[in-house]
Amino acid sequence: MLGAWLCCWAALAWAQGGGTVRIGVLAYLGADAAVEEWTPVATQLRRALPGRAVELISLDHAALNEAAQARRVDFIITNPGHYVELESRLGASRILTLQTGSTLPTSAWQAVGAAVVTLAGNPQVQRLADLRGQRVAVVGKEAFSGYQLVWRELAAEGIDPASDLRQLLVVGLPMDRVLEAVASGAADAGFVRACMVESRPEWRQRFRVVAPRPEMGFACATSTRVYPNWPIATLRHTDPALARAVTIALLEMRAGDSPITWTVPADYQSVHEMQRELKIGPYANLRVPTLTALAQRYWPWLAGLLGLIALGGVYTLHVERQVQARTADLRQAAREREELEARLRQSREQAEHMARLSVLGELSGTLAHELNQPLAAIGNYAQSLIRRVDQQRLSPDAAREAASEMAGQAERAAGVLSRIRAFARKRVAQRQVVDPVALVHEAVALFRGMQVHAPPVDVVDKLPAGTMLTVDALQVQQVLLNLLKNGWDATRHLPAERQQLTVTLRRDTSGVHIAVRDRGEPLSTGQQSHLFEPFFTTKADGMGLGLSICRSIAEAHGGRLDASAAEDGLGLQFTLTLPDDDRNPTRGA
């Protein structure tokens, strides 16, 4: 406990030292608007890191790329598409994702879309297909919501913006210029970020969003699919201690106190899929396949074609056309098969990642504990072999016995690592209707499977029949796993009758309650008041992020996470409250 407090105190003391924290932000609405939008972030960092200056640097795409490469900024705040490019080119690494911004509240996982806008009285543009042959204004071809998101939807309609539009008018930043071009008649339509029209009443009266599509959990009219919110990311040269201090400070921003809040890093796989389809950003090298690769793939057809050409004449031309048609069909079938296999593989390999990232800090403590014994045993056997060799007392039987024991301990350590890796795999986050009782039983089974000497867990179901929840199932399991592990950590040193954990499910007018109760030693009132603060922990080897992130997950679902002393005075009870289907904010969105 003392060591953990000293470590956190040292990091805070370092972060409060001199120097300037430089944050580069993408100014899609212009430099002044960017400074105004992100000032709450600078204010929070100045308050949390006294003694350090905080500078917001507003830049466009090209200038932000140059500043990041030249190490003139320590952090970047930009759109998801630009971040994925910087991640590939410069090693940018997201530390948090924007939960709510200064305009409209959004989900961190469904926050960014694009709107195709036209004048409210323009009858010629009703669908995306109507853009063919029209004049369209855009910020630039590198703009994420100002061009690329709509490009993907147009490609699905069989429209190539580069050739099928009458004119692609590039107006540059700020994005207001797109609406000005449409209003002046210089363009028939324009591409802007979704929610931009809704944020200004005077725009809503003059403009109309073309082909709006329903997106669950997204409050604005959008003509495209929605993607994760903007991240704040570090660069290769960013000091890790500074990144840690900034992460702690930004996680403390609450919706009631600030127009901007942050949450755990979102999964940007959907952005990768978009850029892969368009062959842009890190996937630009997919645009032109090499002749060698094509020859290796289709050499039987080429050989057959050469043989038919030898026959000459009209018959040869006829066969060549058929081969070309069949080759095109094969290419299309191969692409569809590869895309389907890629989606299935990603669904399997990434199914667990996002909901469980926040518990990896706790698992690192478990990993160290579980690996300590086999590593210590291997070390002891190795030292014994060395001493026997030095004393010339090493017999073949003794060497064989020691080697066998070392191999067994290594296999045990490998098994521990295998369980941890299985727990950390990625997935695509999504919400769905689930049975809360089944969800709890699955979490308990997973918890018991991850512990070497798991305690008994009693599940008490007091829910009415048919009670359902609309939640991200793996994120809720993440919360339950964290609470169960905390309860086990608090009781593992106690007698067996006090090691049992109890999970109770009940429902009232405020929603569905899932209570996890242990029978450990009670905490003081002062300790209970700090339980959900980032990096507060009562464990000697704890990181203190688990409960803070669990509360963020609960709040993202429209619920809450509370802690209270047990009625009999033994241990703590953590209660996760979630709205049922009738009150869940995602229901019908």
Side-chain angles (χ1 to χ4, degrees), residues 122-404:
N122 182 7
Q124 296 182 351
V125 182
Q126 300 292 335
R127 304 171 301 156
L128 294 182
D130 296 337
L131 293 175
R132 192 187 302 270
Q134 302 290 335
R135 299 169 301 163
V136 175
V138 299
V139 170
K141 293 184 178 181
E142 75 284 353
F144 181 66
S145 56
Y147 180 72
Q148 294 173 356
L149 298 190
V150 184
W151 180 12
R152 185 187 191 186
E153 305 303 332
L154 292 179
E157 296 279 345
I159 299 176
D160 183 359
S163 60
D164 294 335
L165 301 180
R166 176 181 171 188
Q167 180 186 10
L168 189 63
L169 180 62
V170 177
V171 299
L173 292 173
M175 196 171 283
D176 298 10
R177 295 179 180 175
V178 174
L179 296 177
E180 293 172 0
V182 176
S184 67
D188 303 305
F191 302 164
V192 297
R193 180 178 178 177
C195 297
M196 191 173 172
V197 173
E198 286 84 352
S199 66
R200 303 191 185 184
E202 66 274 16
W203 287 354
R204 298 185 65 176
Q205 297 175 2
R206 300 183 62 187
F207 300 100
R208 170 175 55 84
V209 176
V210 177
R213 55 190 291 164
E215 290 290 341
M216 180 178 295
F218 193 69
C220 304
T222 175
S223 305
T224 69
R225 284 161 273 196
V226 292
Y227 298 81
N229 216 331
W230 287 32
I232 180 170
T234 61
L235 299 166
R236 287 195 181 105
H237 63 272
T238 306
D239 191 291
L242 176 60
R244 174 187 174 96
V246 168
T247 301
I248 297 173
L250 296 184
L251 279 174
E252 292 175 347
M253 299 178 74
R254 295 293 179 185
D257 304 324
S258 170
I260 292 178
T261 59
W262 300 87
T263 187
V264 295
D267 187 351
Y268 288 79
Q269 183 61 33
S270 59
V271 181
H272 281 275
E273 292 174 356
M274 181 272 293
Q275 294 188 345
R276 188 183 301 112
E277 286 183 18
L278 300 179
K279 298 180 178 60
I280 60 176
Y283 304 98
N285 60 334
L286 300 178
R287 292 181 184 176
V288 181
T290 64
L291 294 177
T292 302
L294 291 175
Q296 290 177 347
R297 185 172 183 181
Y298 299 109
W299 70 265
W301 295 102
L302 295 175
L305 182 60
L306 291 175
L308 293 174
I309 290 176
L311 300 177
V314 178
Y315 179 78
T316 301
L317 294 176
H318 174 70
V319 173
E320 181 181 4
R321 291 173 183 173
Q322 287 190 346
V323 170
Q324 290 176 347
R326 292 174 182 174
T327 301
D329 292 338
L330 286 174
R331 289 176 179 174
Q332 180 63 27
R335 283 196 295 268
E336 293 176 355
R337 178 180 177 183
E338 290 173 356
E339 291 173 358
L340 178 59
E341 290 176 348
R343 288 195 294 268
L344 292 175
R345 183 170 60 253
Q346 290 164 2
S347 298
R348 290 195 303 267
E349 295 177 352
Q350 300 176 5
E352 303 298 328
H353 179 70
M354 278 306 299
R356 302 184 182 184
L357 275 179
S358 58
V359 84
L360 289 180
E362 293 292 337
L363 288 180
S364 64
T366 302
L367 176 62
H369 175 76
E370 295 297 335
L371 291 181
N372 184 58
Q373 290 184 353
L375 291 178
I378 291 173
N380 290 336
Y381 281 115
Q383 291 296 331
S384 175
L385 288 175
I386 293 172
R387 287 195 300 270
R388 292 192 179 192
V389 169
D390 291 342
Q391 298 171 6
Q392 298 183 349
R393 295 189 302 105
L394 182 63
S395 66
D397 291 338
R400 183 178 298 104
E401 178 183 359
S404 298

Side-chain angles (χ1 to χ4, degrees), residues 428-446:
V428 177
Q430 59 182 353
R431 296 190 181 184
Q432 56 188 349
V433 178
V434 298
D435 179 358
V437 178
L439 185 65
V440 168
H441 280 290
E442 290 176 5
V444 170
L446 180 58

